[in-house]
């Protein structure tokens, strides 16, 4: 009920993004149902229906990725002061976001079922009744449990992905795991100061000075009747005896906590792994082009290729997704090279700070663009002879990846809203901020554009021989 009320009262831009998630879920659910219809119309060959069902994994992953990006930018999932007091802590907000995503995807799945039944001819009274009756096996009864199982894949996977992505994490540094030591007489713990053998019974060794000048015996001291001596170890003033000293210490501690800037973030560590996976995918494709020149599998739309070629394409896409944050961070460093001015310094620092948030969707877009270019190059004709389902799948994957990148850009803009406001208060002109944004976009395009073309040519090379 809370998720429904938050969904109804959201901003129109948030509602638009949720409707886009529902549309992506509808397209993916329709492709899954079409795979079921193809399996019903071709019961003798189980390999082709399984291949078509596996081909739907890419739109499913793109839809789940887009749903996670939309959930990150949802204001209802953002922790705010006072919400924990009414029971809306980080875990509850994560559950609300997952439920909202499940509702949007369920709406899309229901629309996909209605479109599928309409094209089969089971629902009449609207245009294009039974337009795909032969392809969707309208002469055979539809197994309702199988259809509902396929339709629940998108809401389940998308909501689980949102729950994992928005799960509350403890960002506090881990406690030190030093080995337990034994103190005097077998007591646990560490001593505050190192003492030599026999120092326990020395006169005045267990006495500590207080703020009022007197000396008192420390807790746990066994040296009764010892004469106080001056201790060389400086001690913190007693707050009860000197309140002004305690106040000054607290103020200095707060000052150090609030004013001092956090340490710079490290570069993303996925660049070496991404390059390794990308090289492995290209090597698999090149090896396949020499050993398996003839395609052995046929994908929807007439595209063919050996199973190892599909594995190589998958590894290439995964490598680009892993290397995206590192390449974005490197692009930010290159912008700041060679005595940068205010414009290049601002653009480079923003790219370095947002490398993980922007780089991964950008790597996915690069992988999809290179795969689409390679598929068009393999077709070899001026007008690609893709079928309707292949066209729908390509449009769905491309639209979801581009929408994910734009949503990540919106999230990055929301994250640096305080920094932008501070720059404006300091007198930075708006033209500087716009020029920095244009410079960031141009730098990313200059790096990822040629990389996409090179990867596409290398990926399509084994199939064009």
């Amino acid at each position: 009920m809370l998720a429904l009320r938050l969904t109804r009262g959201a901003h129109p831009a948030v509602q638009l993004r949720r409707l886009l998630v529902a549309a992506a879920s509808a397209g993916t659910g329709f492709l899954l149902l079409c795979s079921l219809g193809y399996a019903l119309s071709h019961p003798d060959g189980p390999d082709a229906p399984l291949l078509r069902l596996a081909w739907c994994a890419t739109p499913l992953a793109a839809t789940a990725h887009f749903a996670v990006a939309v959930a990150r930018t949802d204001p209802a999932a953002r922790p705010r002061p006072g919400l924990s007091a009414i029971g809306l802590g980080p875990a509850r907000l994560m559950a609300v976001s997952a439920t909202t995503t499940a509702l949007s995807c369920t709406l899309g799945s229901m629309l996909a079922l209605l479109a599928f039944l309409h094209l089969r001819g089971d629902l009449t009274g609207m245009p294009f009744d039974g337009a795909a009756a032969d392809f969707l096996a309208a002469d055979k009864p539809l197994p309702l449990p199988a259809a509902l199982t396929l339709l629940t894949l998108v809401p389940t996977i998308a909501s689980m992905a949102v729950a994992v992505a928005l799960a509350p994490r403890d960002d506090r540094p881990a406690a030190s795991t030093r080995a337990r030591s034994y103190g005097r007489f077998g007591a646990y713990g560490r001593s505050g100061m190192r003492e030599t053998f026999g120092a326990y019974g020395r006169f005045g060794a267990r006495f500590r000075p207080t703020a009022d000048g007197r000396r008192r015996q420390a807790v746990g001291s066994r040296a009764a009747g010892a004469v106080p001596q001056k201790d060389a170890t400086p001690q913190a003033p007693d707050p009860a005896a000197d309140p002004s000293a305690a106040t000054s210490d607290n103020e200095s501690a707060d000052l150090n906590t609030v004013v001092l800037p956090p340490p710079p973030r490290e570069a993303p560590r996925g660049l070496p792994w991404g390059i390794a996976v990308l090289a492995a995918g290209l090597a698999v494709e090149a090896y396949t082009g020499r050993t398996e020149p003839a395609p052995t599998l046929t994908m929807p739309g007439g595209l063919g290729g050996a199973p190892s070629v599909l594995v190589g394409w998958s590894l290439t896409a995964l490598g680009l997704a892993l290397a995206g944050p590192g390449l974005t961070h490197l692009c930010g460093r290159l912008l700041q090279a060679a005595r940068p001015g205010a414009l290049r310094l601002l653009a480079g620092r923003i790219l370095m700070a947002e490398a993980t948030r922007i780089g991964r969707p950008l790597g996915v877009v690069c992988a999809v663009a290179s795969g689409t270019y390679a598929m068009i190059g393999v077709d070899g004709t001026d007008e690609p002879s893709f079928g309707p389902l292949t066209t729908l799948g390509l449009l769905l994957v491309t639209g979801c990846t581009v929408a994910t990148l734009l949503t990540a850009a919106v999230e990055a803009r929301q994250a640096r809203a305080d920094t932008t406001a501070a720059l404006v208060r300091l007198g930075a002109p708006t033209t500087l901020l716009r020029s920095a944004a244009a410079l960031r976009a141009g730098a990313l395009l200059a790096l990822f554009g040629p990389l996409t073309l090179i990867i596409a040519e290398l990926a399509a090379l084994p199939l064009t021989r």
Side-chain angles (χ1 to χ4, degrees):
M1 186 61 66
L2 179 60
L4 287 174
R5 296 183 64 180
L6 292 177
T7 302
R8 290 174 51 191
H11 194 268
V14 179
Q15 299 285 14
L16 178 60
R17 290 194 289 266
R18 290 170 179 170
L19 289 178
L20 290 178
V21 172
S25 176
T28 305
F30 183 76
L31 290 177
L32 291 171
L33 292 178
C34 288
S35 300
L36 177 60
Y38 184 84
L40 292 176
S41 59
H42 299 79
D44 297 334
D47 295 337
L50 288 178
L51 179 62
R52 287 177 176 269
L53 187 62
W55 181 75
C56 296
T58 303
L60 180 59
T63 303
H65 193 203
F66 180 46
V68 171
V70 171
R72 286 182 179 274
T73 57
D74 193 351
R78 193 174 305 154
R80 291 182 295 273
L83 291 181
S84 298
I86 60 175
L88 290 178
R92 184 70 180 277
L93 291 177
M94 177 267 295
V96 170
S97 299
T99 305
T100 304
T101 303
L103 292 175
S104 301
C105 294
T106 302
L107 176 61
S109 298
M110 293 299 103
L111 294 177
L113 180 60
L114 291 177
F116 179 77
L117 295 177
H118 173 64
L119 292 178
R120 271 175 55 96
D122 296 337
L123 298 179
T124 58
M126 292 182 292
F128 304 103
D129 291 337
D134 297 335
F135 179 77
L136 299 179
D139 55 340
K140 296 182 180 180
L142 179 66
L144 189 58
L148 295 180
T149 300
L150 292 177
L151 289 177
T152 56
L153 287 179
V154 181
T156 302
I157 294 178
S159 59
M160 290 178 61
V162 170
V164 172
L166 300 182
R169 296 176 177 85
D170 190 3
D171 296 333
R172 295 176 300 179
S176 59
T177 57
R178 295 183 297 179
R180 177 178 292 179
S181 63
Y182 294 93
R184 301 180 183 88
F185 301 105
Y188 292 108
R190 288 183 178 270
S191 175
M193 48 185 292
R194 299 179 63 89
E195 295 179 354
T196 58
F197 179 77
Y200 187 84
R202 191 182 303 128
F203 287 138
R206 304 302 296 172
F207 286 86
R208 298 290 182 264
T210 58
D212 55 357
R214 300 179 181 178
R215 298 182 181 273
R216 60 181 178 85
Q217 190 173 3
V219 178
S221 175
R222 299 175 182 267
V227 179
Q229 291 183 356
K230 184 178 180 180
D231 197 346
T233 304
Q235 300 294 327
D238 191 0
D242 192 359
S244 60
T247 305
S248 61
D249 290 342
N250 293 335
E251 290 179 355
S252 61
D254 294 340
L255 183 62
N256 293 333
T257 304
V258 177
V259 177
L260 293 181
R265 294 183 178 180
E266 298 180 356
R269 301 179 181 179
L271 183 58
W273 292 101
I275 294 176
V277 174
L278 177 61
L282 295 177
V284 168
E285 295 176 10
Y287 180 77
T288 302
R290 298 181 57 183
T291 58
E292 300 179 7
T296 57
L297 289 178
T298 302
M299 295 176 61
L303 297 176
S308 52
V309 173
L310 302 180
V311 173
W313 279 8
S314 301
L315 289 177
T316 302
L318 179 61
L320 287 174
L322 291 177
L327 292 176
T328 305
H329 192 275
L330 178 61
C331 188
R333 282 190 175 275
L334 292 178
L335 279 178
Q336 303 175 68
R339 301 178 64 181
L343 179 61
R344 287 197 293 140
L345 186 63
L346 180 61
R349 288 295 178 90
I350 291 178
L351 278 182
M352 291 175 62
E354 299 172 355
T356 304
R357 184 180 290 111
I358 297 294
R360 186 164 289 112
L362 191 58
V364 174
V365 170
C366 181
V368 171
S370 61
T372 304
Y373 182 84
M375 292 171 64
I376 295 176
V378 168
D379 187 77
T381 58
D382 296 336
E383 296 181 359
S385 57
F386 296 157
L389 294 182
T390 304
T391 304
L392 176 61
L394 289 177
L395 291 178
L396 182 62
V397 173
T398 305
C400 285
T401 51
V402 173
T404 302
L405 179 59
L406 296 178
T407 307
V410 172
E411 180 187 2
R413 184 178 180 181
Q414 294 176 355
R416 66 172 185 270
D418 296 338
T419 304
T420 304
L423 290 175
V424 172
R425 287 196 303 268
L426 290 175
T430 56
T431 55
L432 176 65
L433 302 178
R434 295 174 182 174
S435 300
L439 182 59
R440 293 196 305 269
L444 292 177
L445 183 61
L447 177 63
F448 282 91
L451 179 63
T452 302
L453 295 178
I454 293 174
I455 298 299
E457 291 290 343
L458 294 178
L461 186 62
L463 299 181
T464 55
R465 292 180 178 180

